[in-house]
Amino acid sequence: MKVVKICEEVIKPSSATPDELREHKISFIDEIIPHSSIPLILFYKKSETVTQSQICRHLKTSLSQTLTQFYPLAGRMKSQCSIDCNDEGVYYQETQVDGSVFDIVKNPKSSELVKLTPYNSDGTSSNFQELLAVQVNLFDCGGIAVSISMTHKIGDASSLCTFIKNWCDASEGLRNNKCGADSFEGSDTHPPVFLKNPGDIGNNKVKKDSTFISLSSIFPPRGTTDDTPDKKCVAIQPVAEKLAVKRFVFTAPNIAKMKSKLMNYGYNENATRVEVVSALLWKCFMVAKGCNSVVVIPMNVRQRIVPPLPESSFGNFFLITNAIASVGDNWLSMVGKIKSAIGRIAGNYMEKICGEGGFEFVKSNFNQLGELIMSQGSHVRVLTIGSWCNFPINEANFGWGESILKVVAIVGVKDNVVLLDSAEFAGGIEAWAIMTDEELTLFEQDKDLQEFTSLDVICDLD
């Protein structure tokens, strides 16, 4: 697949950021996060009503308008704990791709996916100065892939989804002529609203039309240099091995069969679809590795505090939980391990993170994985399972139709699985696994996995 750059530019907010909002403090959780990228690619088939050039024009205009509300994304890191909201803008690039978008949809390859991301973002450490970068890939067939990469330093998956949702709303509004440029220049009348303290939610002090709610007002930065993350963090470093990616689709009927089998096994608790799918994938990982394993699960905790935070709250707000299993365990027994691990992130955890010792607690939570692995010895392998299920990604419609495929393109991060809601099969889950080519071959040969999934279940979209 040949990808040729057509143009590149910097997109700035359509309205200048007021002086009083020039400095944006990141939260103490953001401070702990290393500089890495969160790349997401949205694939669209050819529009019958809008040309590629019209689409690019809409995307740039609506992106500029959206940055007025999400103005920190158009700034630059000023220090370890603050962003200079100087409106310097985000990176934007358009490319021409030979071939059909359906070739990627039906047979995604890690080497090709990374070419479709800005700065070749693959989820590993990054050093580009922009906090957000966009690459619009124009396929010869007329299809389009919109790739958005945000630095993990200032936000998590939920934050990226919030931004994309608002960008889609702005773009679709332009497409339908429901709003003009003047509607987005009202930053004086509809300024971004920030939470001053957690009680503002319960007191209804947050405007219902707020699109940017800063987590740093709840979790202010520490600003101490000794808390700077290690740039050699293993989790985000590129690996020497050649990595491969494959998609496994769990339809709703197959997930129902998995739950039925779980009940027959004697498991009486109500397991979620994410829990049963994660357990099966974890078991396949251990078989492919041939050793015991630790599963690591990053969890969005916005809805787990009292009162809960809006999903639109921007910044990193997740904790990490984990579980241990032996290579001889079957996936049915591992569902309980997954469920117990997830259940630990509740109650007193939230009291601790919101209390005076919140920073130390979060830092300890992030550091516990290394301590756990050391205690288990060198013959233990780590699998990270991140769930994007229930995030509003399937609604990512810029105005010319819904996407036919979504890829979290962290294809440079070894031993990683990302779960997404299936766009084609209601209630289903798409699991994207990234491992070495040899291990992924062993992974997909598991009989239980073959029983409940399909590699070719994707419908013919041509």
Side-chain angles (χ1 to χ4, degrees):
M1 183 183 73
K2 188 177 181 180
V3 180
V4 179
K5 182 191 299 183
I6 300 175
C7 65
E8 63 179 350
E9 60 184 289
V10 173
I11 305 295
K12 299 184 178 183
S14 58
S15 297
T17 300
D19 289 340
E20 61 269 22
L21 298 177
R22 182 64 182 260
E23 183 179 33
H24 173 70
K25 298 288 188 181
I26 63 176
S27 75
F28 65 63
I29 304 178
D30 297 333
E31 281 188 274
I32 304 174
I33 305 299
H35 285 278
S36 61
S37 57
I38 308 177
L40 176 68
I41 310 175
L42 305 172
F43 291 86
Y44 298 87
K45 60 184 178 181
K46 179 181 178 180
S47 172
E48 299 299 329
T49 58
V50 191
T51 66
Q52 288 183 332
S53 60
Q54 287 176 317
I55 287 173
C56 290
R57 190 161 56 248
H58 280 300
L59 286 174
K60 290 194 290 185
T61 301
S62 55
L63 174 59
S64 176
Q65 295 167 346
T66 308
L67 288 172
T68 299
Q69 294 294 328
F70 292 81
Y71 57 91
L73 292 176
R76 300 291 183 268
M77 291 301 299
K78 180 180 180 180
S79 67
Q80 178 194 335
C81 58
S82 67
I83 300 171
D84 182 4
C85 303
N86 52 20
D87 295 339
E88 288 193 10
V90 305
Y91 179 78
Y92 176 89
Q93 173 178 283
E94 293 175 10
T95 70
Q96 188 67 45
V97 184
D98 66 342
S100 170
V101 69
F102 298 107
D103 294 336
I104 300 290
V105 169
K106 294 177 180 179
N107 186 27
K109 299 177 181 178
S110 57
S111 59
E112 295 180 344
L113 290 173
V114 74
K115 292 180 182 179
L116 302 178
T117 64
Y119 294 117
N120 289 333
S121 304
D122 61 2
T124 59
S125 58
S126 59
N127 56 8
F128 51 86
Q129 63 176 347
E130 295 89 355
L131 303 180
L132 183 79
V134 176
Q135 181 170 315
V136 180
N137 304 280
L138 309 176
F139 287 79
D140 290 344
C141 68
I144 287 180
V146 181
S147 178
I148 308 102
S149 182
M150 185 183 73
T151 175
H152 208 329
K153 184 68 177 175
I154 64 168
D156 53 16
S158 177
S159 301
L160 179 59
C161 292
T162 294
F163 173 80
I164 293 173
K165 183 179 185 301
N166 281 272
W167 183 12
C168 286
D169 290 344
S171 181
E172 188 172 14
L174 286 173
R175 171 76 181 93
N176 296 329
N177 292 320
K178 292 182 179 179
C179 59
D182 292 341
S183 301
F184 290 85
E185 295 187 7
S187 59
D188 290 332
T189 56
H190 297 287
V193 178
F194 294 88
L195 279 173
K196 298 303 180 184
N197 59 69
D200 286 351
I201 301 176
N203 295 332
N204 200 27
K205 293 180 181 179
V206 181
K207 293 183 180 179
K208 292 182 179 180
D209 61 351
S210 302
T211 56
F212 188 88
I213 300 173
S214 173
L215 285 171
S216 60
S217 55
I218 307 173
F219 311 113
R222 290 277 298 254
T224 53
T225 56
D226 60 321
D227 293 320
T228 303
D230 185 357
K231 293 182 179 179
K232 296 182 180 180
C233 176
V234 176
I236 61 169
Q237 289 305 304
V239 295
E241 302 103 318
K242 182 180 178 181
L243 300 182
V245 59
K246 280 197 174 175
R247 173 186 54 196
F248 302 88
V249 180
F250 295 80
T251 63
N254 276 341
I255 293 175
K257 291 178 183 178
M258 294 174 71
K259 291 185 177 181
S260 176
K261 190 169 185 177
L262 185 63
M263 291 183 64
N264 292 335
Y265 177 75
Y267 189 84
N268 297 319
E269 295 188 49
N270 184 25
T272 67
R273 58 186 182 133
V274 168
E275 290 166 351
V276 296
V277 168
S278 296
L280 176 55
L281 295 171
W282 185 20
K283 174 255 185 180
C284 296
F285 173 80
M286 281 198 297
V287 172
K289 292 286 185 178
C291 61
N292 299 343
S293 171
V294 174
V295 66
V296 177
I297 307 173
M299 292 185 57
N300 175 21
V301 291
R302 286 167 173 78
Q303 296 297 304
R304 288 178 173 263
I305 65 172
V306 179
L309 290 178
E311 288 298 333
S312 59
S313 50
F314 201 94
N316 286 290
F317 196 32
F318 67 94
L319 290 176
I320 295 173
T321 190
N322 59 70
I324 306 171
S326 301
V327 70
D329 294 344
N330 66 57
W331 73 269
L332 296 167
S333 67
M334 294 163 67
V335 173
K337 295 176 182 289
I338 295 281
K339 191 172 189 67
S340 295
I342 292 175
R344 289 200 302 268
I345 307 295
N348 64 336
Y349 265 53
M350 294 303 97
E351 295 174 6
K352 291 177 180 178
I353 194 174
C354 295
E356 292 184 3
F359 174 80
E360 295 300 332
F361 174 76
V362 173
K363 190 176 180 181
S364 174
N365 175 264
F366 289 175
N367 289 337
Q368 68 177 344
L369 175 60
E371 299 170 358
L372 177 64
I373 295 173
M374 289 181 63
S375 69
Q376 296 297 309
S378 59
H379 300 293
V380 172
R381 297 294 179 264
V382 179
L383 173 67
T384 300
I385 301 179
S387 173
W388 288 50
C389 294
N390 297 322
F391 286 166
I393 291 298
N394 283 349
E395 304 164 11
N397 187 336
F398 287 96
W400 65 87
E402 295 182 353
S403 62
I404 57 175
L405 182 70
K406 301 151 191 72
V407 181
V408 181
I410 50 174
V411 293
V413 182
K414 181 183 176 182
D415 298 341
N416 197 78
V417 171
V418 177
L419 305 181
L420 293 165
D421 290 313
S422 172
E424 297 173 80
F425 303 96
I429 288 179
E430 290 186 6
W432 291 80
I434 301 99
M435 301 173 198
T436 64
D437 194 28
E438 180 181 346
E439 290 172 342
L440 194 54
T441 299
L442 294 174
F443 183 94
E444 66 179 311
Q445 290 175 353
D446 186 272
K447 292 183 179 180
D448 288 324
L449 187 64
Q450 292 177 353
E451 178 183 357
F452 296 114
T453 67
S454 175
L455 287 170
D456 55 4
V457 74
I458 302 300
C459 296
D460 187 355
L461 297 170
D462 294 288

mmCIF file of all heavy atoms in Angstrom, residues 187-219:
data_model
loop_
_atom_site.group_PDB
_atom_site.id
_atom_site.type_symbol
_atom_site.label_atom_id
_atom_site.label_comp_id
_atom_site.label_asym_id
_atom_site.label_seq_id
_atom_site.Cartn_x
_atom_site.Cartn_y
_atom_site.Cartn_z
ATOM 1 N N SER A 187 -17.566 32.277 21.715
ATOM 2 C CA SER A 187 -16.837 31.878 22.914
ATOM 3 C C SER A 187 -17.066 32.855 24.057
ATOM 4 O O SER A 187 -16.863 32.528 25.204
ATOM 5 C CB SER A 187 -15.336 31.772 22.611
ATOM 6 O OG SER A 187 -14.841 33.010 22.160
ATOM 7 N N ASP A 188 -17.502 34.071 23.721
ATOM 8 C CA ASP A 188 -17.772 35.030 24.791
ATOM 9 C C ASP A 188 -19.105 34.740 25.464
ATOM 10 O O ASP A 188 -19.296 34.981 26.654
ATOM 11 C CB ASP A 188 -17.772 36.454 24.218
ATOM 12 C CG ASP A 188 -16.372 36.908 23.814
ATOM 13 O OD1 ASP A 188 -15.403 36.422 24.428
ATOM 14 O OD2 ASP A 188 -16.276 37.723 22.886
ATOM 15 N N THR A 189 -20.040 34.221 24.660
ATOM 16 C CA THR A 189 -21.358 33.941 25.222
ATOM 17 C C THR A 189 -21.460 32.509 25.739
ATOM 18 O O THR A 189 -22.246 32.231 26.616
ATOM 19 C CB THR A 189 -22.452 34.170 24.154
ATOM 20 O OG1 THR A 189 -22.146 33.366 23.004
ATOM 21 C CG2 THR A 189 -22.492 35.638 23.748
ATOM 22 N N HIS A 190 -20.664 31.611 25.172
ATOM 23 C CA HIS A 190 -20.664 30.215 25.630
ATOM 24 C C HIS A 190 -19.234 29.768 25.877
ATOM 25 O O HIS A 190 -18.693 28.939 25.147
ATOM 26 C CB HIS A 190 -21.335 29.299 24.593
ATOM 27 C CG HIS A 190 -22.767 29.617 24.358
ATOM 28 N ND1 HIS A 190 -23.744 29.333 25.263
ATOM 29 C CD2 HIS A 190 -23.378 30.208 23.301
ATOM 30 C CE1 HIS A 190 -24.925 29.712 24.783
ATOM 31 N NE2 HIS A 190 -24.723 30.247 23.595
ATOM 32 N N PRO A 191 -18.591 30.305 26.886
ATOM 33 C CA PRO A 191 -17.200 29.938 27.152
ATOM 34 C C PRO A 191 -17.103 28.536 27.703
ATOM 35 O O PRO A 191 -18.068 28.003 28.253
ATOM 36 C CB PRO A 191 -16.768 30.958 28.206
ATOM 37 C CG PRO A 191 -18.045 31.284 28.926
ATOM 38 C CD PRO A 191 -19.124 31.250 27.878
ATOM 39 N N PRO A 192 -15.943 27.890 27.545
ATOM 40 C CA PRO A 192 -15.754 26.585 28.179
ATOM 41 C C PRO A 192 -15.958 26.691 29.679
ATOM 42 O O PRO A 192 -15.539 27.660 30.304
ATOM 43 C CB PRO A 192 -14.295 26.244 27.834
ATOM 44 C CG PRO A 192 -14.000 27.049 26.613
ATOM 45 C CD PRO A 192 -14.780 28.321 26.781
ATOM 46 N N VAL A 193 -16.615 25.713 30.261
ATOM 47 C CA VAL A 193 -16.923 25.740 31.683
ATOM 48 C C VAL A 193 -16.057 24.727 32.406
ATOM 49 O O VAL A 193 -15.895 23.604 31.947
ATOM 50 C CB VAL A 193 -18.416 25.410 31.924
ATOM 51 C CG1 VAL A 193 -18.724 25.396 33.408
ATOM 52 C CG2 VAL A 193 -19.280 26.447 31.217
ATOM 53 N N PHE A 194 -15.476 25.106 33.523
ATOM 54 C CA PHE A 194 -14.606 24.231 34.287
ATOM 55 C C PHE A 194 -15.230 23.901 35.628
ATOM 56 O O PHE A 194 -15.904 24.725 36.244
ATOM 57 C CB PHE A 194 -13.244 24.894 34.530
ATOM 58 C CG PHE A 194 -12.452 25.100 33.287
ATOM 59 C CD1 PHE A 194 -12.597 26.245 32.536
ATOM 60 C CD2 PHE A 194 -11.573 24.123 32.854
ATOM 61 C CE1 PHE A 194 -11.878 26.426 31.377
ATOM 62 C CE2 PHE A 194 -10.843 24.292 31.702
ATOM 63 C CZ PHE A 194 -10.995 25.450 30.960
ATOM 64 N N LEU A 195 -15.007 22.697 36.094
ATOM 65 C CA LEU A 195 -15.410 22.323 37.444
ATOM 66 C C LEU A 195 -14.430 22.915 38.442
ATOM 67 O O LEU A 195 -13.230 22.715 38.335
ATOM 68 C CB LEU A 195 -15.400 20.797 37.588
ATOM 69 C CG LEU A 195 -16.618 20.045 37.058
ATOM 70 C CD1 LEU A 195 -16.346 18.567 37.143
ATOM 71 C CD2 LEU A 195 -17.844 20.412 37.831
ATOM 72 N N LYS A 196 -14.912 23.628 39.402
ATOM 73 C CA LYS A 196 -14.037 24.170 40.434
ATOM 74 C C LYS A 196 -13.830 23.167 41.556
ATOM 75 O O LYS A 196 -12.810 23.154 42.214
ATOM 76 C CB LYS A 196 -14.641 25.470 40.999
ATOM 77 C CG LYS A 196 -14.786 26.568 39.951
ATOM 78 C CD LYS A 196 -13.457 26.888 39.287
ATOM 79 C CE LYS A 196 -13.603 27.972 38.240
ATOM 80 N NZ LYS A 196 -12.344 28.228 37.524
ATOM 81 N N ASN A 197 -14.806 22.337 41.801
ATOM 82 C CA ASN A 197 -14.677 21.280 42.793
ATOM 83 C C ASN A 197 -15.718 20.212 42.501
ATOM 84 O O ASN A 197 -16.677 20.468 41.775
ATOM 85 C CB ASN A 197 -14.845 21.833 44.219
ATOM 86 C CG ASN A 197 -16.195 22.510 44.401
ATOM 87 O OD1 ASN A 197 -17.218 21.847 44.406
ATOM 88 N ND2 ASN A 197 -16.203 23.841 44.520
ATOM 89 N N PRO A 198 -15.555 19.001 43.035
ATOM 90 C CA PRO A 198 -16.496 17.911 42.730
ATOM 91 C C PRO A 198 -17.934 18.256 43.096
ATOM 92 O O PRO A 198 -18.859 17.773 42.464
ATOM 93 C CB PRO A 198 -15.968 16.743 43.571
ATOM 94 C CG PRO A 198 -14.532 17.055 43.788
ATOM 95 C CD PRO A 198 -14.456 18.554 43.891
ATOM 96 N N GLY A 199 -18.136 19.092 44.093
ATOM 97 C CA GLY A 199 -19.491 19.427 44.510
ATOM 98 C C GLY A 199 -20.261 20.212 43.485
ATOM 99 O O GLY A 199 -21.483 20.320 43.563
ATOM 100 N N ASP A 200 -19.575 20.789 42.507
ATOM 101 C CA ASP A 200 -20.259 21.558 41.479
ATOM 102 C C ASP A 200 -21.243 20.705 40.695
ATOM 103 O O ASP A 200 -22.249 21.194 40.199
ATOM 104 C CB ASP A 200 -19.247 22.175 40.507
ATOM 105 C CG ASP A 200 -18.506 23.356 41.135
ATOM 106 O OD1 ASP A 200 -18.909 23.768 42.226
ATOM 107 O OD2 ASP A 200 -17.540 23.845 40.531
ATOM 108 N N ILE A 201 -20.927 19.400 40.586
ATOM 109 C CA ILE A 201 -21.842 18.538 39.835
ATOM 110 C C ILE A 201 -23.171 18.412 40.575
ATOM 111 O O ILE A 201 -24.233 18.638 40.037
ATOM 112 C CB ILE A 201 -21.230 17.142 39.629
ATOM 113 C CG1 ILE A 201 -19.912 17.273 38.863
ATOM 114 C CG2 ILE A 201 -22.180 16.237 38.883
ATOM 115 C CD1 ILE A 201 -19.187 15.974 38.684
ATOM 116 N N GLY A 202 -23.076 18.053 41.852
ATOM 117 C CA GLY A 202 -24.284 17.894 42.640
ATOM 118 C C GLY A 202 -25.057 19.192 42.804
ATOM 119 O O GLY A 202 -26.276 19.198 42.928
ATOM 120 N N ASN A 203 -24.356 20.314 42.819
ATOM 121 C CA ASN A 203 -25.008 21.607 42.957
ATOM 122 C C ASN A 203 -25.512 22.157 41.634
ATOM 123 O O ASN A 203 -25.978 23.287 41.554
ATOM 124 C CB ASN A 203 -24.028 22.621 43.580
ATOM 125 C CG ASN A 203 -23.653 22.225 44.999
ATOM 126 O OD1 ASN A 203 -24.421 21.569 45.692
ATOM 127 N ND2 ASN A 203 -22.454 22.613 45.415
ATOM 128 N N ASN A 204 -25.350 21.349 40.577
ATOM 129 C CA ASN A 204 -25.848 21.724 39.259
ATOM 130 C C ASN A 204 -25.223 23.021 38.759
ATOM 131 O O ASN A 204 -25.873 23.851 38.143
ATOM 132 C CB ASN A 204 -27.379 21.842 39.279
ATOM 133 C CG ASN A 204 -27.971 21.749 37.889
ATOM 134 O OD1 ASN A 204 -27.388 21.125 37.008
ATOM 135 N ND2 ASN A 204 -29.114 22.372 37.685
ATOM 136 N N LYS A 205 -23.945 23.220 39.069
ATOM 137 C CA LYS A 205 -23.269 24.434 38.645
ATOM 138 C C LYS A 205 -22.631 24.287 37.269
ATOM 139 O O LYS A 205 -22.087 25.238 36.728
ATOM 140 C CB LYS A 205 -22.194 24.812 39.666
ATOM 141 C CG LYS A 205 -22.762 25.237 41.019
ATOM 142 C CD LYS A 205 -21.640 25.607 41.975
ATOM 143 C CE LYS A 205 -22.196 26.010 43.332
ATOM 144 N NZ LYS A 205 -21.109 26.339 44.282
ATOM 145 N N VAL A 206 -22.670 23.086 36.708
ATOM 146 C CA VAL A 206 -22.085 22.866 35.404
ATOM 147 C C VAL A 206 -23.166 23.009 34.339
ATOM 148 O O VAL A 206 -24.196 22.362 34.403
ATOM 149 C CB VAL A 206 -21.458 21.457 35.310
ATOM 150 C CG1 VAL A 206 -20.834 21.247 33.939
ATOM 151 C CG2 VAL A 206 -20.428 21.278 36.398
ATOM 152 N N LYS A 207 -22.930 23.874 33.368
ATOM 153 C CA LYS A 207 -23.913 24.079 32.321
ATOM 154 C C LYS A 207 -24.124 22.797 31.529
ATOM 155 O O LYS A 207 -23.198 22.061 31.257
ATOM 156 C CB LYS A 207 -23.447 25.190 31.370
ATOM 157 C CG LYS A 207 -23.398 26.574 32.020
ATOM 158 C CD LYS A 207 -22.992 27.614 30.996
ATOM 159 C CE LYS A 207 -22.950 29.004 31.631
ATOM 160 N NZ LYS A 207 -22.542 30.035 30.649
ATOM 161 N N LYS A 208 -25.359 22.572 31.141
ATOM 162 C CA LYS A 208 -25.669 21.340 30.428
ATOM 163 C C LYS A 208 -25.019 21.303 29.045
ATOM 164 O O LYS A 208 -24.844 20.237 28.471
ATOM 165 C CB LYS A 208 -27.189 21.187 30.301
ATOM 166 C CG LYS A 208 -27.884 20.944 31.632
ATOM 167 C CD LYS A 208 -29.365 20.742 31.448
ATOM 168 C CE LYS A 208 -30.049 20.471 32.789
ATOM 169 N NZ LYS A 208 -31.497 20.271 32.633
ATOM 170 N N ASP A 209 -24.694 22.473 28.480
ATOM 171 C CA ASP A 209 -24.091 22.494 27.159
ATOM 172 C C ASP A 209 -22.573 22.575 27.224
ATOM 173 O O ASP A 209 -21.911 22.846 26.244
ATOM 174 C CB ASP A 209 -24.637 23.658 26.319
ATOM 175 C CG ASP A 209 -24.344 25.020 26.963
ATOM 176 O OD1 ASP A 209 -23.891 25.032 28.120
ATOM 177 O OD2 ASP A 209 -24.570 26.040 26.293
ATOM 178 N N SER A 210 -22.010 22.338 28.411
ATOM 179 C CA SER A 210 -20.561 22.374 28.539
ATOM 180 C C SER A 210 -19.944 21.251 27.723
ATOM 181 O O SER A 210 -20.408 20.121 27.753
ATOM 182 C CB SER A 210 -20.143 22.209 30.004
ATOM 183 O OG SER A 210 -20.708 23.218 30.801
ATOM 184 N N THR A 211 -18.886 21.552 26.985
ATOM 185 C CA THR A 211 -18.219 20.528 26.202
ATOM 186 C C THR A 211 -16.833 20.231 26.722
ATOM 187 O O THR A 211 -16.206 19.276 26.298
ATOM 188 C CB THR A 211 -18.107 20.954 24.730
ATOM 189 O OG1 THR A 211 -17.432 22.214 24.666
ATOM 190 C CG2 THR A 211 -19.467 21.072 24.087
ATOM 191 N N PHE A 212 -16.339 21.044 27.633
ATOM 192 C CA PHE A 212 -14.990 20.811 28.150
ATOM 193 C C PHE A 212 -14.999 21.032 29.651
ATOM 194 O O PHE A 212 -15.223 22.140 30.127
ATOM 195 C CB PHE A 212 -13.995 21.762 27.486
ATOM 196 C CG PHE A 212 -12.562 21.446 27.834
ATOM 197 C CD1 PHE A 212 -11.837 20.541 27.084
ATOM 198 C CD2 PHE A 212 -11.949 22.038 28.919
ATOM 199 C CE1 PHE A 212 -10.525 20.245 27.400
ATOM 200 C CE2 PHE A 212 -10.636 21.742 29.249
ATOM 201 C CZ PHE A 212 -9.925 20.851 28.486
ATOM 202 N N ILE A 213 -14.816 19.956 30.380
ATOM 203 C CA ILE A 213 -14.776 20.018 31.835
ATOM 204 C C ILE A 213 -13.412 19.508 32.277
ATOM 205 O O ILE A 213 -13.047 18.380 31.999
ATOM 206 C CB ILE A 213 -15.896 19.165 32.456
ATOM 207 C CG1 ILE A 213 -17.266 19.676 31.987
ATOM 208 C CG2 ILE A 213 -15.825 19.211 33.972
ATOM 209 C CD1 ILE A 213 -18.421 18.796 32.411
ATOM 210 N N SER A 214 -12.660 20.351 32.948
ATOM 211 C CA SER A 214 -11.275 20.020 33.286
ATOM 212 C C SER A 214 -11.173 19.212 34.573
ATOM 213 O O SER A 214 -11.700 19.608 35.609
ATOM 214 C CB SER A 214 -10.461 21.308 33.431
ATOM 215 O OG SER A 214 -9.177 21.030 33.917
ATOM 216 N N LEU A 215 -10.467 18.088 34.509
ATOM 217 C CA LEU A 215 -10.246 17.278 35.698
ATOM 218 C C LEU A 215 -9.196 17.890 36.619
ATOM 219 O O LEU A 215 -9.109 17.539 37.787
ATOM 220 C CB LEU A 215 -9.811 15.871 35.297
ATOM 221 C CG LEU A 215 -10.921 14.962 34.760
ATOM 222 C CD1 LEU A 215 -10.331 13.680 34.198
ATOM 223 C CD2 LEU A 215 -11.936 14.657 35.840
ATOM 224 N N SER A 216 -8.386 18.819 36.108
ATOM 225 C CA SER A 216 -7.333 19.410 36.936
ATOM 226 C C SER A 216 -7.906 20.277 38.052
ATOM 227 O O SER A 216 -7.237 20.528 39.048
ATOM 228 C CB SER A 216 -6.388 20.244 36.077
ATOM 229 O OG SER A 216 -7.076 21.299 35.433
ATOM 230 N N SER A 217 -9.151 20.731 37.904
ATOM 231 C CA SER A 217 -9.762 21.509 38.981
ATOM 232 C C SER A 217 -10.111 20.623 40.169
ATOM 233 O O SER A 217 -10.240 21.097 41.299
ATOM 234 C CB SER A 217 -11.013 22.232 38.475
ATOM 235 O OG SER A 217 -11.922 21.317 37.901
ATOM 236 N N ILE A 218 -10.257 19.315 39.912
ATOM 237 C CA ILE A 218 -10.534 18.368 40.994
ATOM 238 C C ILE A 218 -9.243 17.744 41.513
ATOM 239 O O ILE A 218 -9.077 17.533 42.709
ATOM 240 C CB ILE A 218 -11.477 17.252 40.501
ATOM 241 C CG1 ILE A 218 -12.738 17.845 39.863
ATOM 242 C CG2 ILE A 218 -11.872 16.320 41.639
ATOM 243 C CD1 ILE A 218 -13.625 16.819 39.212
ATOM 244 N N PHE A 219 -8.337 17.467 40.582
ATOM 245 C CA PHE A 219 -7.066 16.835 40.927
ATOM 246 C C PHE A 219 -5.914 17.736 40.487
ATOM 247 O O PHE A 219 -5.277 17.482 39.468
ATOM 248 C CB PHE A 219 -6.961 15.460 40.266
ATOM 249 C CG PHE A 219 -8.174 14.597 40.464
ATOM 250 C CD1 PHE A 219 -8.988 14.257 39.396
ATOM 251 C CD2 PHE A 219 -8.501 14.133 41.727
ATOM 252 C CE1 PHE A 219 -10.106 13.466 39.579
ATOM 253 C CE2 PHE A 219 -9.618 13.334 41.914
ATOM 254 C CZ PHE A 219 -10.428 13.004 40.843
#
